[in-house]
């Protein structure tokens, strides 16, 4: 059975605890629900060469796609060190990554409390396409 939104957000929060973020101290987790109903989780993985770092969304989407998935239903993102939900939104690069696999919904959250739900079109209108 597909997870509820609350379950997906909780998975993202748990995934954030596995983040490798010694440079920023900003731990992010993400949980992907594919259109086929499978779930994958990931976290941000930083590097001493800062730009080499991988955001949580990029980590988990690459993982899900490498397992054969091509369409994403929902992505829950949890920034467990964010001061508020405004600081927890996916970066621009990650929005383009989510767009590539037609992500339908994005749930944005911090370490506890309510989350916000958005469509991809709300977060990335006029996405780049070839
Ligand atoms: N980060 C993410 O994992 N996802 C985002 O969408 C924004 C930023 C990570 C990257 C870096 O490890 C840390 O948060 C601080 O920028």
């Amino acid at each position: 059975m597909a997870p509820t939104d609350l379950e997906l957000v909780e998975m993202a929060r748990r995934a954030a605890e596995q983040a490798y973020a010694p440079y920023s101290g900003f731990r992010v987790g993400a949980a992907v629900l594919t259109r086929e109903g499978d779930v994958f989780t990931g976290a941000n993985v930083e590097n001493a060469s800062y730009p080499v770092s991988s955001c949580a969304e990029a980590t988990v989407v690459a993982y899900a796609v490498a397992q054969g998935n091509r369409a994403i239903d929902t992505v829950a993102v949890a920034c467990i060190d964010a001061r508020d939900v405004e600081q927890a939104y996916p970066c621009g690069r990650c929005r383009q990554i989510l767009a590539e696999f037609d992500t339908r919904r994005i749930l944005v959250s911090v370490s506890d409390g309510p989350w916000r739900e958005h469509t991809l079109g709300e977060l990335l209108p006029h996405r780049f396409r070839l």
Side-chain angles (χ1 to χ4, degrees), residues 20-21 24 26 28 43-46 53-57 77 79 89-91 94:
Y20 177 73
S24 72
F26 194 82
V28 185
N44 55 331
V45 181
E46 297 185 347
S53 303
S54 177
C55 287
E57 302 91 320
V77 182
C79 294
Y89 277 75
C91 75
C94 287

Side-chain angles (χ1 to χ4, degrees), residues 46-113:
E46 297 185 347
N47 192 282
S49 177
Y50 296 169
V52 177
S53 303
S54 177
C55 287
E57 302 91 320
T59 303
V60 70
V61 169
Y63 180 41
V65 171
Q67 302 303 309
N69 296 284
R70 295 291 183 270
I72 293 173
D73 186 81
T74 305
V75 175
V77 182
C79 294
I80 62 174
D81 298 307
R83 60 179 168 265
D84 58 45
V85 74
E86 278 301 329
Q87 207 190 20
Y89 277 75
C91 75
R93 179 176 184 269
C94 287
R95 295 178 196 202
Q96 183 67 24
I97 289 170
L98 298 178
E100 184 71 22
F101 301 100
D102 294 328
T103 303
R104 212 165 57 79
R105 297 189 311 143
I106 296 139
L107 311 178
V108 183
S109 68
V110 294
S111 60
D112 56 18

Side-chain angles (χ1 to χ4, degrees), residues 20-37:
Y20 177 73
Y23 304 104
S24 72
F26 194 82
R27 295 166 297 166
V28 185
V32 161
L33 172 66
T34 68
R35 297 279 177 95
E36 295 189 343

